[in-house]
Amino acid sequence: MSEKQPVTKPNTASDCISSLAVPERVTLARKAGEQLFPQNRDKEKYAAACLLAEALASDLCLQVRETLAFELRKYTRLPKTIITKIACDADEVAVPFLRVTPALSDSLMAELIPLLSDNAQLAIAVRSDIGAKASRQLICHANDNAALTVIGNPSVGIDDALASMVLDHFADNARVIEAIAKRPNLPLSIVTKILHHVGDQLRKELSERYGVDPAVAKTVMVNSTHETIWRQIRHATPGQVHAHVLDLRQNGKLSPELMLAMADRGCLAFLESGLAAFAGRILTEIREVLHLANLKQFQALMRDCNLEDGHIEHIHKLARRHYGARRARREVGNPSLWQSRPSGRMTPQSAA
């Protein structure tokens, strides 16, 4: 019986190309670029050039890949596989190609962006033909430099969807927020959203430039302040909340509106500490009064706090809802419950 001959795999195009010297592969890259001209009517030559270009786009030599990308940079139509390989290549190959190639549609840009390097994303962000899909993908996946470039690109329209994404992803980035605030001709709905995130001076400039009602601007400022404080205390213990309230009181930033806003969100510890700070009393005394067992004590506490009638009525409703004379145990502002149902009844918790 004759011995079996070892099966040898036929050489692929990549194997054949890699055996060539670098100058020969560079020459092949130039020829492949010529054959991929979109108006090439010879289908067989075009198909062969596509296979050759795909192989060259994966070549180990950077010079070969740079040559191919340079030859293809001005073509209006290219196979998606080749575009993807070049776009995901090293920055030396990808960036010059992505800046100028007209073969990228808005959808293809958006599809590629999560796969690209920071510099390649920046190359797309500066394009004059960048569309809505690509802009949103850059805001979601790119760093703040690319986001700043998108916002500063006059070809990009800032609509509600894009503005909301910017505020969601870069709410704590002052440079990005300031950049979008300084864009000209913003819709009023976007200006109102931005007012939550800018400083006093920029808020005043926006209000004057777009004719925002001062009352609306003030409401936005108050809501922004409340939201900032809520993020600071939402997971704090009652003891930490009390220390934070005392700091606010000392700095002149504690107001009845702020105290009630935190209480409405479910942070009863803020209400107790706020009343203690306003009245100059201790916390245990405040908690006893909030059980409403003695109405005269409650009225005396409100006088000591020097609160308006509307505030007193609000506190009375909160006390009836969360404390009440019939409760055997007082309700403490449990951090795990503060976000559950701010306007509903909280489950009683035992005292710490």
Side-chain angles (χ1 to χ4, degrees):
M1 236 179 123
S2 60
E3 295 183 359
K4 291 184 178 179
Q5 296 296 325
V7 178
T8 58
K9 294 182 179 180
N11 289 336
T12 63
S14 298
D15 295 331
C16 295
I17 293 171
S18 61
S19 64
L20 300 175
V22 170
E24 294 176 305
R25 300 197 318 258
V26 169
T27 302
L28 274 179
R30 291 196 182 99
K31 289 183 178 180
E34 294 173 0
Q35 293 297 325
L36 281 174
F37 188 67
Q39 280 69 38
N40 189 346
R41 297 176 182 270
D42 192 323
K43 293 183 179 180
E44 291 185 1
K45 287 185 178 181
Y46 188 83
C50 285
L51 293 175
L52 180 60
E54 286 186 29
L56 291 168
S58 302
D59 196 281
L60 293 176
C61 179
L62 179 64
Q63 184 183 357
V64 174
R65 304 196 308 274
E66 282 183 313
T67 301
L68 179 67
F70 179 80
E71 293 295 329
L72 302 180
R73 73 193 188 286
K74 292 185 179 180
Y75 290 171
T76 56
R77 181 171 59 87
L78 288 170
K80 182 179 177 180
T81 53
I82 296 177
I83 293 176
T84 303
K85 284 188 176 183
I86 295 176
C88 297
D89 206 333
D91 287 346
E92 295 88 341
V93 178
V95 171
F97 176 81
L98 290 172
R99 279 182 178 172
V100 299
T101 177
L104 289 177
S105 64
D106 185 32
S107 297
L108 184 53
M109 286 186 206
E111 187 178 339
L112 289 173
I113 282 168
L115 310 175
L116 304 182
S117 68
D118 290 347
N119 288 330
Q121 290 174 342
L122 197 58
I124 289 182
V126 300
R127 291 176 62 108
S128 60
D129 61 345
I130 184 172
K133 293 180 181 178
S135 299
R136 289 195 289 267
Q137 283 291 82
L138 282 170
I139 295 301
C140 291
H141 296 283
N143 58 27
D144 56 350
N145 288 328
L148 283 167
T149 305
V150 169
I151 294 169
N153 189 333
S155 301
V156 177
I158 306 294
D159 57 9
D160 281 334
L162 186 61
S164 297
M165 284 186 175
V166 171
L167 297 178
D168 288 342
H169 287 80
F170 298 98
D172 298 324
N173 191 312
R175 289 198 308 156
V176 175
I177 300 301
E178 184 176 347
I180 193 172
K182 291 185 176 180
R183 275 287 298 253
N185 303 320
L186 290 172
L188 189 58
S189 58
I190 296 176
V191 174
T192 304
K193 291 179 181 179
I194 295 174
L195 289 174
H196 288 267
H197 300 270
V198 296
D200 294 341
Q201 182 60 35
L202 194 51
R203 185 183 299 113
K204 181 180 179 182
E205 292 177 8
L206 286 170
S207 299
E208 293 175 353
R209 188 193 315 165
Y210 292 96
V212 178
D213 190 328
V216 174
K218 183 178 179 181
T219 301
V220 168
M221 181 181 66
V222 170
N223 291 339
S224 177
T225 302
H226 291 179
E227 184 62 30
T228 300
I229 293 177
W230 173 247
R231 287 199 298 266
Q232 294 172 349
I233 68 166
R234 61 192 301 179
H235 298 302
T237 64
Q240 292 170 332
V241 170
H242 186 66
H244 193 75
V245 169
L246 293 181
D247 287 340
L248 291 171
R249 177 66 169 175
Q250 185 175 1
N251 295 325
K253 296 181 179 180
L254 180 64
S255 65
E257 290 79 12
L258 173 61
M259 177 182 67
L260 294 173
M262 297 302 106
D264 285 338
R265 294 186 185 220
C267 183
L268 300 180
F270 202 103
L271 174 65
E272 296 171 357
S273 298
L275 291 174
F278 283 130
R281 301 191 188 186
I282 59 175
L283 281 174
T284 52
E285 186 178 354
I286 298 298
R287 290 163 184 162
E288 290 178 2
V289 172
L290 289 177
H291 279 79
L292 302 178
N294 189 319
L295 186 57
K296 290 184 178 180
Q297 289 181 353
F298 178 81
Q299 293 171 343
L301 174 61
M302 295 300 102
R303 284 195 300 271
D304 291 345
C305 293
N306 193 26
L307 299 174
E308 298 177 0
D309 292 343
H311 297 150
I312 295 173
E313 183 179 354
H314 196 154
I315 294 171
H316 190 264
K317 289 180 180 179
L318 287 169
R320 290 179 58 189
R321 182 186 307 156
H322 297 297
Y323 298 84
R326 296 183 180 180
R327 293 188 183 276
R329 300 177 180 179
R330 69 176 181 85
E331 292 177 343
V332 182
N334 190 329
S336 64
L337 299 178
W338 286 358
Q339 300 178 67
S340 56
R341 288 182 296 171
S343 61
R345 184 181 296 276
M346 295 175 62
T347 305
Q349 302 290 316
S350 58

